[in-house]
Amino acid sequence: DTGVSQDPRHKITKRGQNVTFRCDPISEHNRLYWYRQTLGQGPEFLTYFQNEAQLEKSRLLSDRFSAERPKGSFSTLEIQRTEQGDSAMYLCASSLGDRNLYEQYFGPGTRLTVT
Amino acid sequence: KQEVTQIPAALSVPEGENLVLNCSFTDSAIYNLQWFRQDPGKGLTSLLLIQSSQREQTSGRLNASLDKSSGRSTLYIAASQPGDSATYLCAVRRSSNTGKLIFGQGTTLQVKP
């Protein structure tokens, strides 16, 4: 396994711009998760996919946020009309399902700074 | 509503000391609990996962225990090393039907040489 990868690792954008992040899960992992982490806090759940189906969304995921996993492999998280409060680390994780008790493996994260 | 608390928020110990990190959760109806390590500016590394039916899990110098009825878990680190310096996070999962992990705020550990 090459691990969960995320791209870009860092993104600086101006308020009001749209940004898109990509996550590639561990191969054969059918579940993929997105979390957001602000400084000094634990990660907060945003959404998760089983294969291509988005099964759960947090209330944190406002209508400016959209996530997709079109072919059940990689996923994208888009934030439209970014706000300074969106500045955070966006973490992606994947898991295999019940075979490994849904243990989640995290990627390195994408650090977003909105100026 | 499930809440996860980790105390202390920060801990500094001399190298070689054995230490215990604490995690408590308000709702005992959990599916599993996971301990993670996070280095500054990095993602999370999974350390141990304990199923709700288990009492403890061990990996090398790490031992995690779970007392579901009292809503507590501990992470025991034996013979601490400077390389153990990091933030340690615990997270609980309510059921197999949810993807959501609920995290504590973490304990930042510094092991001094």
Side-chain angles (χ1 to χ4, degrees):
Chain A
D1 288 335
T2 58
V4 178
S5 61
Q6 293 187 245
D7 183 68
R9 296 291 307 278
H10 303 275
K11 179 70 178 179
I12 301 174
T13 191
K14 292 184 178 179
R15 188 178 55 177
Q17 298 294 306
N18 299 342
V19 294
T20 299
F21 310 140
R22 177 180 169 123
C23 171
D24 287 88
I26 295 171
S27 60
E28 298 182 354
H29 278 198
N30 61 343
R31 288 192 174 191
L32 186 147
Y33 313 81
W34 285 100
Y35 292 83
R36 181 175 71 184
Q37 185 179 27
T38 53
L39 204 60
Q41 304 295 315
E44 296 174 293
F45 172 80
L46 293 177
T47 187
Y48 98 96
F49 294 83
Q50 180 160 304
N51 301 312
E52 65 275 11
Q54 189 174 18
L55 296 186
E56 194 171 356
K57 291 169 63 173
S58 164
R59 277 175 278 183
L60 291 174
L61 212 66
S62 74
D63 56 5
R64 296 186 298 106
F65 288 70
S66 63
E68 295 183 341
R69 194 183 184 198
K71 297 182 180 179
S73 56
F74 72 91
S75 175
T76 57
L77 177 67
E78 180 183 17
I79 308 175
Q80 295 182 329
R81 306 181 302 281
T82 52
E83 301 173 356
Q84 287 188 322
D86 296 331
S87 296
M89 175 80 90
Y90 289 83
L91 294 162
C92 176
S94 68
S95 72
L96 188 53
D98 60 6
R99 272 195 281 166
N100 73 338
L101 306 174
Y102 305 101
E103 183 171 2
Q104 295 187 19
Y105 296 86
F106 281 75
T110 294
R111 169 76 65 188
L112 172 66
T113 303
V114 182
T115 62
Chain B
K1 177 187 173 186
Q2 178 74 273
E3 292 182 359
V4 180
T5 303
Q6 292 185 249
I7 294 173
L11 182 63
S12 180
V13 301
E15 181 177 4
E17 192 163 297
N18 302 327
L19 59 101
V20 174
L21 306 180
N22 297 297
C23 171
S24 61
F25 45 95
T26 54
D27 186 347
S28 62
I30 64 169
Y31 176 71
N32 61 30
L33 182 145
Q34 221 172 324
W35 281 94
F36 295 90
R37 168 186 173 138
Q38 186 173 33
D39 293 291
K42 306 290 186 183
L44 280 64
T45 300
S46 179
L47 298 174
L48 290 162
L49 181 148
I50 310 179
Q51 274 296 87
S52 60
S53 57
Q54 296 176 319
R55 296 285 293 182
E56 64 180 89
Q57 281 285 341
T58 298
S59 176
R61 293 183 294 110
L62 305 179
N63 176 278
S65 69
L66 176 64
D67 184 342
K68 201 174 74 161
S69 61
S70 66
R72 292 179 184 174
S73 176
T74 61
L75 180 67
Y76 174 83
I77 303 177
S80 59
Q81 303 170 357
D84 294 330
S85 298
T87 296
Y88 291 81
L89 294 149
C90 71
V92 300
R93 185 192 199 112
R94 188 181 74 242
S95 75
S96 61
N97 293 327
T98 177
K100 182 178 182 179
L101 287 177
I102 301 171
F103 284 84
Q105 292 185 315
T107 294
T108 298
L109 171 66
Q110 183 184 32
V111 181
K112 296 180 178 178

